[in-house]
Amino acid sequence: QVQLVESGGGLVQPGGSLRLSCAASGSIFSIDVMGWYRQAPGKQRELVAAITSGGSTNYADPVKGRFTISRDIPKNTVYLQMNSLKPEDTAVYYCHAEGFKDRALLYPFGSWGQGTQVTVSS
């Protein structure tokens, strides 16, 4: 199936920046939307940002003005530039993609990455 691999997480001080990457691979025909979710310990997984194949974006209110999502369609890769990070941004960040797989069959798919830890602490 479609595999998603995240990278770029780590430890950063408040006010710092990180750039997350998520690369999709497999028998992908198209990816209609890719997004980033995050889940902090004891909290529900929440949408952070999403971007469609047409470039439309949406952001969760807490990250508006600080995070930017972008994508490279030929590379099936989505990025999340995170600036002005706050301790409350600490979470495991998961990449998600939806689209169609198998060029001959066009099955819809929804896939999750394994997650990458982002820790914002001084």
Side-chain angles (χ1 to χ4, degrees), residues 43-96:
K43 297 183 66 177
Q44 184 177 345
R45 186 174 297 188
E46 63 179 1
L47 175 69
V48 177
I51 187 167
T52 69
S53 60
S56 298
T57 60
N58 69 283
Y59 298 90
D61 286 341
V63 309
K64 288 180 179 177
R66 299 188 297 120
F67 292 9
T68 302
I69 189 169
S70 60
R71 79 279 186 266
D72 186 332
I73 294 177
K75 296 181 179 179
N76 289 326
T77 299
V78 65
Y79 307 94
L80 185 67
Q81 179 66 47
M82 304 185 294
N83 298 325
S84 301
L85 283 162
K86 304 175 181 179
E88 51 262 44
D89 295 319
T90 296
V92 177
Y93 283 70
Y94 297 91
C95 179
H96 179 71

Short mmCIF file of all heavy atoms in Angstrom, two decimals, residues 43-96:
data_model
loop_
_atom_site.label_atom_id
_atom_site.label_comp_id
_atom_site.label_asym_id
_atom_site.label_seq_id
_atom_site.Cartn_x
_atom_site.Cartn_y
_atom_site.Cartn_z
N LYS A 43 -4.05 13.55 24.93
CA LYS A 43 -4.92 14.41 24.15
C LYS A 43 -5.33 13.73 22.85
O LYS A 43 -4.67 12.80 22.38
CB LYS A 43 -4.25 15.75 23.85
CG LYS A 43 -3.93 16.59 25.07
CD LYS A 43 -3.33 17.92 24.69
CE LYS A 43 -4.33 18.79 23.94
NZ LYS A 43 -3.76 20.13 23.62
N GLN A 44 -6.40 14.21 22.28
CA GLN A 44 -6.90 13.68 21.03
C GLN A 44 -6.04 14.15 19.86
O GLN A 44 -5.52 15.27 19.86
CB GLN A 44 -8.35 14.14 20.84
CG GLN A 44 -9.05 13.59 19.62
CD GLN A 44 -10.50 14.04 19.54
OE1 GLN A 44 -11.07 14.51 20.52
NE2 GLN A 44 -11.11 13.87 18.38
N ARG A 45 -5.90 13.29 18.88
CA ARG A 45 -5.18 13.68 17.68
C ARG A 45 -5.96 14.78 16.97
O ARG A 45 -7.18 14.67 16.79
CB ARG A 45 -4.97 12.48 16.77
CG ARG A 45 -4.11 12.78 15.56
CD ARG A 45 -3.82 11.52 14.74
NE ARG A 45 -3.06 10.54 15.51
CZ ARG A 45 -2.56 9.43 14.99
NH1 ARG A 45 -2.70 9.16 13.70
NH2 ARG A 45 -1.91 8.57 15.77
N GLU A 46 -5.27 15.81 16.55
CA GLU A 46 -5.93 16.95 15.94
C GLU A 46 -5.25 17.34 14.64
O GLU A 46 -4.04 17.16 14.46
CB GLU A 46 -5.93 18.15 16.90
CG GLU A 46 -4.54 18.67 17.23
CD GLU A 46 -4.56 19.87 18.16
OE1 GLU A 46 -5.66 20.30 18.56
OE2 GLU A 46 -3.46 20.38 18.49
N LEU A 47 -6.04 17.88 13.75
CA LEU A 47 -5.51 18.38 12.50
C LEU A 47 -4.70 19.64 12.74
O LEU A 47 -5.14 20.54 13.46
CB LEU A 47 -6.65 18.68 11.53
CG LEU A 47 -6.24 19.33 10.20
CD1 LEU A 47 -5.47 18.35 9.33
CD2 LEU A 47 -7.47 19.84 9.45
N VAL A 48 -3.54 19.70 12.14
CA VAL A 48 -2.69 20.89 12.21
C VAL A 48 -2.82 21.71 10.94
O VAL A 48 -3.07 22.91 10.97
CB VAL A 48 -1.22 20.50 12.44
CG1 VAL A 48 -0.33 21.75 12.45
CG2 VAL A 48 -1.07 19.73 13.74
N ALA A 49 -2.63 21.06 9.81
CA ALA A 49 -2.70 21.74 8.53
C ALA A 49 -2.92 20.73 7.43
O ALA A 49 -2.54 19.56 7.57
CB ALA A 49 -1.41 22.54 8.25
N ALA A 50 -3.53 21.16 6.35
CA ALA A 50 -3.76 20.28 5.21
C ALA A 50 -3.63 21.08 3.93
O ALA A 50 -3.83 22.30 3.92
CB ALA A 50 -5.15 19.64 5.29
N ILE A 51 -3.29 20.37 2.87
CA ILE A 51 -3.15 21.01 1.57
C ILE A 51 -3.66 20.07 0.50
O ILE A 51 -3.40 18.86 0.54
CB ILE A 51 -1.68 21.43 1.31
CG1 ILE A 51 -1.57 22.25 0.02
CG2 ILE A 51 -0.76 20.23 1.30
CD1 ILE A 51 -0.23 22.95 -0.13
N THR A 52 -4.39 20.61 -0.45
CA THR A 52 -4.92 19.81 -1.54
C THR A 52 -3.95 19.81 -2.71
O THR A 52 -2.99 20.57 -2.76
CB THR A 52 -6.28 20.33 -2.01
OG1 THR A 52 -6.10 21.60 -2.66
CG2 THR A 52 -7.23 20.50 -0.83
N SER A 53 -4.24 18.96 -3.67
CA SER A 53 -3.41 18.91 -4.87
C SER A 53 -3.46 20.22 -5.64
O SER A 53 -2.52 20.52 -6.39
CB SER A 53 -3.85 17.75 -5.77
OG SER A 53 -5.20 17.90 -6.18
N GLY A 54 -4.52 20.98 -5.45
CA GLY A 54 -4.63 22.28 -6.09
C GLY A 54 -3.97 23.41 -5.34
O GLY A 54 -3.94 24.54 -5.82
N GLY A 55 -3.45 23.11 -4.16
CA GLY A 55 -2.74 24.11 -3.40
C GLY A 55 -3.54 24.81 -2.33
O GLY A 55 -3.01 25.69 -1.64
N SER A 56 -4.81 24.46 -2.19
CA SER A 56 -5.60 25.06 -1.13
C SER A 56 -5.15 24.54 0.22
O SER A 56 -4.84 23.36 0.38
CB SER A 56 -7.09 24.75 -1.33
OG SER A 56 -7.56 25.30 -2.54
N THR A 57 -5.13 25.41 1.20
CA THR A 57 -4.64 25.05 2.53
C THR A 57 -5.65 25.41 3.60
O THR A 57 -6.50 26.28 3.41
CB THR A 57 -3.32 25.76 2.85
OG1 THR A 57 -3.52 27.18 2.82
CG2 THR A 57 -2.24 25.38 1.85
N ASN A 58 -5.55 24.72 4.70
CA ASN A 58 -6.28 25.12 5.89
C ASN A 58 -5.43 24.78 7.11
O ASN A 58 -4.64 23.83 7.09
CB ASN A 58 -7.66 24.48 5.97
CG ASN A 58 -7.62 22.98 6.22
OD1 ASN A 58 -7.36 22.20 5.31
ND2 ASN A 58 -7.90 22.58 7.46
N TYR A 59 -5.60 25.57 8.15
CA TYR A 59 -4.79 25.45 9.35
C TYR A 59 -5.67 25.46 10.58
O TYR A 59 -6.71 26.13 10.61
CB TYR A 59 -3.80 26.61 9.47
CG TYR A 59 -2.79 26.69 8.35
CD1 TYR A 59 -3.06 27.42 7.19
CD2 TYR A 59 -1.57 26.04 8.45
CE1 TYR A 59 -2.14 27.50 6.17
CE2 TYR A 59 -0.64 26.11 7.43
CZ TYR A 59 -0.93 26.84 6.29
OH TYR A 59 0.00 26.92 5.27
N ALA A 60 -5.24 24.75 11.57
CA ALA A 60 -5.87 24.86 12.87
C ALA A 60 -5.59 26.23 13.46
O ALA A 60 -4.51 26.80 13.26
CB ALA A 60 -5.36 23.76 13.80
N ASP A 61 -6.54 26.77 14.18
CA ASP A 61 -6.39 28.11 14.73
C ASP A 61 -5.10 28.31 15.53
O ASP A 61 -4.46 29.36 15.40
CB ASP A 61 -7.60 28.47 15.58
CG ASP A 61 -8.83 28.76 14.75
OD1 ASP A 61 -8.69 29.05 13.54
OD2 ASP A 61 -9.94 28.71 15.31
N PRO A 62 -4.70 27.35 16.37
CA PRO A 62 -3.50 27.60 17.19
C PRO A 62 -2.21 27.78 16.39
O PRO A 62 -1.24 28.31 16.94
CB PRO A 62 -3.42 26.35 18.08
CG PRO A 62 -4.81 25.83 18.12
CD PRO A 62 -5.37 26.11 16.76
N VAL A 63 -2.18 27.34 15.14
CA VAL A 63 -0.94 27.42 14.38
C VAL A 63 -1.00 28.44 13.26
O VAL A 63 0.02 28.66 12.59
CB VAL A 63 -0.55 26.04 13.80
CG1 VAL A 63 -0.56 24.98 14.89
CG2 VAL A 63 -1.48 25.64 12.66
N LYS A 64 -2.13 29.08 13.07
CA LYS A 64 -2.25 30.06 12.00
C LYS A 64 -1.25 31.20 12.21
O LYS A 64 -1.12 31.73 13.31
CB LYS A 64 -3.67 30.61 11.95
CG LYS A 64 -4.69 29.63 11.40
CD LYS A 64 -6.08 30.24 11.36
CE LYS A 64 -7.09 29.26 10.78
NZ LYS A 64 -8.47 29.81 10.80
N GLY A 65 -0.57 31.54 11.15
CA GLY A 65 0.43 32.59 11.22
C GLY A 65 1.79 32.11 11.63
O GLY A 65 2.76 32.87 11.53
N ARG A 66 1.89 30.88 12.11
CA ARG A 66 3.17 30.34 12.55
C ARG A 66 3.64 29.17 11.71
O ARG A 66 4.84 29.00 11.49
CB ARG A 66 3.09 29.90 14.02
CG ARG A 66 2.75 31.03 14.98
CD ARG A 66 2.88 30.57 16.44
NE ARG A 66 1.93 29.51 16.76
CZ ARG A 66 2.29 28.29 17.18
NH1 ARG A 66 3.58 27.99 17.33
NH2 ARG A 66 1.37 27.39 17.46
N PHE A 67 2.71 28.34 11.26
CA PHE A 67 3.04 27.16 10.48
C PHE A 67 2.65 27.37 9.03
O PHE A 67 1.66 28.05 8.72
CB PHE A 67 2.29 25.93 10.99
CG PHE A 67 2.72 25.44 12.35
CD1 PHE A 67 3.58 26.17 13.15
CD2 PHE A 67 2.23 24.23 12.82
CE1 PHE A 67 3.97 25.71 14.40
CE2 PHE A 67 2.61 23.76 14.06
CZ PHE A 67 3.48 24.49 14.86
N THR A 68 3.40 26.77 8.14
CA THR A 68 3.10 26.82 6.72
C THR A 68 3.23 25.42 6.13
O THR A 68 4.27 24.78 6.29
CB THR A 68 4.04 27.77 5.97
OG1 THR A 68 3.95 29.09 6.53
CG2 THR A 68 3.66 27.83 4.49
N ILE A 69 2.19 24.98 5.45
CA ILE A 69 2.22 23.69 4.79
C ILE A 69 2.45 23.91 3.30
O ILE A 69 1.92 24.85 2.71
CB ILE A 69 0.93 22.88 5.05
CG1 ILE A 69 1.08 21.45 4.53
CG2 ILE A 69 -0.28 23.58 4.45
CD1 ILE A 69 -0.05 20.52 4.99
N SER A 70 3.24 23.05 2.71
CA SER A 70 3.52 23.13 1.29
C SER A 70 3.70 21.72 0.76
O SER A 70 3.82 20.76 1.52
CB SER A 70 4.75 23.99 1.00
OG SER A 70 5.90 23.46 1.62
N ARG A 71 3.73 21.62 -0.56
CA ARG A 71 3.87 20.29 -1.14
C ARG A 71 4.64 20.33 -2.46
O ARG A 71 4.70 21.35 -3.13
CB ARG A 71 2.49 19.63 -1.38
CG ARG A 71 1.75 20.10 -2.63
CD ARG A 71 1.04 21.43 -2.39
NE ARG A 71 0.22 21.81 -3.54
CZ ARG A 71 0.62 22.61 -4.52
NH1 ARG A 71 1.84 23.13 -4.50
NH2 ARG A 71 -0.20 22.90 -5.52
N ASP A 72 5.23 19.20 -2.77
CA ASP A 72 5.91 18.99 -4.03
C ASP A 72 5.21 17.79 -4.65
O ASP A 72 5.50 16.65 -4.30
CB ASP A 72 7.39 18.72 -3.82
CG ASP A 72 8.16 18.63 -5.12
OD1 ASP A 72 7.57 18.25 -6.15
OD2 ASP A 72 9.37 18.95 -5.11
N ILE A 73 4.30 18.06 -5.54
CA ILE A 73 3.45 16.99 -6.09
C ILE A 73 4.26 15.93 -6.84
O ILE A 73 4.03 14.73 -6.64
CB ILE A 73 2.34 17.58 -6.98
CG1 ILE A 73 1.38 18.40 -6.11
CG2 ILE A 73 1.59 16.48 -7.71
CD1 ILE A 73 0.28 19.09 -6.89
N PRO A 74 5.19 16.30 -7.71
CA PRO A 74 5.96 15.26 -8.40
C PRO A 74 6.72 14.34 -7.45
O PRO A 74 6.95 13.18 -7.79
CB PRO A 74 6.92 16.05 -9.29
CG PRO A 74 6.23 17.35 -9.52
CD PRO A 74 5.54 17.65 -8.24
N LYS A 75 7.11 14.85 -6.30
CA LYS A 75 7.83 14.04 -5.33
C LYS A 75 6.92 13.41 -4.29
O LYS A 75 7.40 12.70 -3.41
CB LYS A 75 8.89 14.89 -4.63
CG LYS A 75 9.98 15.40 -5.54
CD LYS A 75 11.01 16.21 -4.76
CE LYS A 75 12.11 16.71 -5.67
NZ LYS A 75 13.11 17.53 -4.93
N ASN A 76 5.62 13.66 -4.40
CA ASN A 76 4.66 13.15 -3.42
C ASN A 76 5.10 13.45 -1.99
O ASN A 76 5.06 12.60 -1.11
CB ASN A 76 4.46 11.65 -3.60
CG ASN A 76 3.70 11.31 -4.87
OD1 ASN A 76 2.82 12.07 -5.29
ND2 ASN A 76 4.01 10.18 -5.47
N THR A 77 5.51 14.69 -1.80
CA THR A 77 6.06 15.10 -0.52
C THR A 77 5.34 16.34 -0.02
O THR A 77 5.03 17.25 -0.79
CB THR A 77 7.56 15.38 -0.64
OG1 THR A 77 8.24 14.19 -1.07
CG2 THR A 77 8.14 15.83 0.69
N VAL A 78 5.09 16.35 1.27
CA VAL A 78 4.49 17.50 1.92
C VAL A 78 5.41 17.96 3.03
O VAL A 78 6.11 17.15 3.65
CB VAL A 78 3.08 17.17 2.46
CG1 VAL A 78 3.14 16.13 3.57
CG2 VAL A 78 2.37 18.44 2.94
N TYR A 79 5.43 19.27 3.26
CA TYR A 79 6.29 19.86 4.27
C TYR A 79 5.45 20.66 5.24
O TYR A 79 4.38 21.17 4.92
CB TYR A 79 7.33 20.78 3.63
CG TYR A 79 8.13 20.14 2.53
CD1 TYR A 79 7.75 20.26 1.20
CD2 TYR A 79 9.27 19.40 2.82
CE1 TYR A 79 8.47 19.67 0.19
CE2 TYR A 79 10.01 18.80 1.82
CZ TYR A 79 9.61 18.94 0.50
OH TYR A 79 10.34 18.35 -0.50
N LEU A 80 5.97 20.79 6.43
CA LEU A 80 5.36 21.66 7.42
C LEU A 80 6.47 22.50 8.04
O LEU A 80 7.29 21.99 8.80
CB LEU A 80 4.63 20.87 8.50
CG LEU A 80 3.86 21.71 9.53
CD1 LEU A 80 2.69 22.42 8.86
CD2 LEU A 80 3.37 20.85 10.69
N GLN A 81 6.48 23.76 7.68
CA GLN A 81 7.42 24.70 8.27
C GLN A 81 6.80 25.27 9.53
O GLN A 81 5.74 25.89 9.48
CB GLN A 81 7.76 25.83 7.29
CG GLN A 81 8.71 26.88 7.84
CD GLN A 81 10.09 26.33 8.11
OE1 GLN A 81 10.65 25.64 7.26
NE2 GLN A 81 10.64 26.62 9.28
N MET A 82 7.45 25.05 10.65
CA MET A 82 6.93 25.47 11.94
C MET A 82 7.84 26.53 12.52
O MET A 82 9.01 26.26 12.82
CB MET A 82 6.82 24.27 12.89
CG MET A 82 5.98 23.13 12.34
SD MET A 82 5.75 21.78 13.54
CE MET A 82 7.45 21.20 13.67
N ASN A 83 7.31 27.71 12.67
CA ASN A 83 8.05 28.83 13.23
C ASN A 83 7.42 29.27 14.54
O ASN A 83 6.27 28.96 14.83
CB ASN A 83 8.07 30.01 12.25
CG ASN A 83 8.76 29.68 10.94
OD1 ASN A 83 9.73 28.94 10.90
ND2 ASN A 83 8.26 30.27 9.85
N SER A 84 8.19 30.02 15.30
CA SER A 84 7.70 30.55 16.57
C SER A 84 7.08 29.46 17.43
O SER A 84 5.99 29.61 17.98
CB SER A 84 6.70 31.68 16.33
OG SER A 84 7.28 32.73 15.58
N LEU A 85 7.79 28.37 17.54
CA LEU A 85 7.24 27.22 18.25
C LEU A 85 7.03 27.51 19.73
O LEU A 85 7.81 28.23 20.36
CB LEU A 85 8.16 26.02 18.07
CG LEU A 85 8.04 25.35 16.70
CD1 LEU A 85 9.25 24.47 16.41
CD2 LEU A 85 6.77 24.52 16.64
N LYS A 86 5.98 26.92 20.24
CA LYS A 86 5.59 27.08 21.63
C LYS A 86 5.61 25.72 22.32
O LYS A 86 5.46 24.69 21.66
CB LYS A 86 4.19 27.69 21.73
CG LYS A 86 4.02 29.01 21.01
CD LYS A 86 2.56 29.46 21.06
CE LYS A 86 2.37 30.78 20.33
NZ LYS A 86 0.94 31.21 20.36
N PRO A 87 5.75 25.71 23.63
CA PRO A 87 5.71 24.42 24.34
C PRO A 87 4.45 23.62 24.05
O PRO A 87 4.51 22.39 24.00
CB PRO A 87 5.79 24.84 25.81
CG PRO A 87 6.56 26.11 25.79
CD PRO A 87 6.11 26.82 24.54
N GLU A 88 3.33 24.29 23.85
CA GLU A 88 2.10 23.58 23.57
C GLU A 88 2.06 22.93 22.20
O GLU A 88 1.13 22.18 21.88
CB GLU A 88 0.88 24.51 23.74
CG GLU A 88 0.99 25.81 22.98
CD GLU A 88 1.46 26.96 23.85
OE1 GLU A 88 2.41 26.75 24.64
OE2 GLU A 88 0.89 28.06 23.76
N ASP A 89 3.06 23.20 21.38
CA ASP A 89 3.19 22.52 20.10
C ASP A 89 3.82 21.14 20.25
O ASP A 89 3.87 20.37 19.28
CB ASP A 89 4.02 23.34 19.12
CG ASP A 89 3.36 24.65 18.74
OD1 ASP A 89 2.14 24.67 18.53
OD2 ASP A 89 4.09 25.67 18.65
N THR A 90 4.31 20.84 21.43
CA THR A 90 4.94 19.55 21.67
C THR A 90 3.94 18.42 21.44
O THR A 90 2.86 18.40 22.03
CB THR A 90 5.48 19.47 23.10
OG1 THR A 90 6.52 20.45 23.26
CG2 THR A 90 6.06 18.09 23.39
N ALA A 91 4.31 17.50 20.57
CA ALA A 91 3.42 16.40 20.22
C ALA A 91 4.14 15.48 19.25
O ALA A 91 5.21 15.81 18.74
CB ALA A 91 2.12 16.92 19.58
N VAL A 92 3.52 14.36 19.00
CA VAL A 92 3.93 13.53 17.88
C VAL A 92 3.15 14.01 16.66
O VAL A 92 1.92 14.10 16.70
CB VAL A 92 3.67 12.04 18.12
CG1 VAL A 92 4.05 11.21 16.90
CG2 VAL A 92 4.46 11.56 19.34
N TYR A 93 3.86 14.32 15.62
CA TYR A 93 3.25 14.83 14.40
C TYR A 93 3.15 13.71 13.38
O TYR A 93 4.14 13.03 13.09
CB TYR A 93 4.05 16.00 13.84
CG TYR A 93 3.82 17.28 14.60
CD1 TYR A 93 4.31 17.43 15.89
CD2 TYR A 93 3.10 18.33 14.05
CE1 TYR A 93 4.08 18.59 16.62
CE2 TYR A 93 2.87 19.49 14.75
CZ TYR A 93 3.36 19.62 16.04
OH TYR A 93 3.14 20.78 16.75
N TYR A 94 1.96 13.54 12.83
CA TYR A 94 1.68 12.48 11.88
C TYR A 94 1.29 13.05 10.53
O TYR A 94 0.49 13.98 10.45
CB TYR A 94 0.53 11.59 12.37
CG TYR A 94 0.81 10.85 13.65
CD1 TYR A 94 0.49 11.41 14.88
CD2 TYR A 94 1.38 9.58 13.63
CE1 TYR A 94 0.73 10.74 16.06
CE2 TYR A 94 1.62 8.90 14.81
CZ TYR A 94 1.28 9.48 16.02
OH TYR A 94 1.52 8.80 17.19
N CYS A 95 1.83 12.48 9.52
CA CYS A 95 1.45 12.82 8.16
C CYS A 95 0.29 11.94 7.71
O CYS A 95 0.23 10.76 8.05
CB CYS A 95 2.66 12.63 7.23
SG CYS A 95 2.34 13.00 5.49
N HIS A 96 -0.61 12.51 6.95
CA HIS A 96 -1.75 11.78 6.42
C HIS A 96 -1.94 12.15 4.96
O HIS A 96 -1.77 13.31 4.58
CB HIS A 96 -3.01 12.10 7.21
CG HIS A 96 -4.24 11.41 6.71
ND1 HIS A 96 -4.43 10.06 6.87
CD2 HIS A 96 -5.33 11.87 6.04
CE1 HIS A 96 -5.58 9.71 6.34
NE2 HIS A 96 -6.15 10.79 5.83
#
